[in-house]
Amino acid sequence: MMGGSYGMGGSGFLFLVVMAVLVVVPFWRLLPKFGIPSWVALVSIIPLGALILLWVMAFRDKIDGGRA
């Protein structure tokens, strides 16, 4: 009853790290083009943080007064 694997194990952790890198790197490259510091891309590790960053990037031109 108490046997078996606990949690995701080593391969599950590796999967999460790879997925985090695949999410953070594009944000790291794109955020400076929107006038946001690169380190803010680390917020995208949290799913809700990624969604918020996408919204900020989508409406950034409206925030800055319609810059091109």
Side-chain angles (χ1 to χ4, degrees):
M1 185 174 197
M2 295 282 296
S5 91
Y6 297 100
M8 294 193 308
S11 63
F13 179 72
L14 181 63
F15 175 76
L16 288 177
V17 170
V18 169
M19 292 306 294
V21 168
L22 289 175
V23 171
V24 170
V25 169
F27 277 112
W28 194 276
R29 299 285 310 266
L30 286 171
L31 287 176
K33 296 178 183 181
F34 289 91
I36 302 169
S38 297
W39 62 266
V40 178
L42 296 175
V43 173
S44 67
I45 294 174
I46 305 166
L48 185 59
L51 185 63
I52 291 170
L53 282 175
L54 285 172
W55 273 83
V56 168
M57 290 167 51
F59 296 107
R60 186 65 180 190
D61 59 337
K62 303 295 184 197
I63 295 171
D64 288 342
R67 67 173 176 90

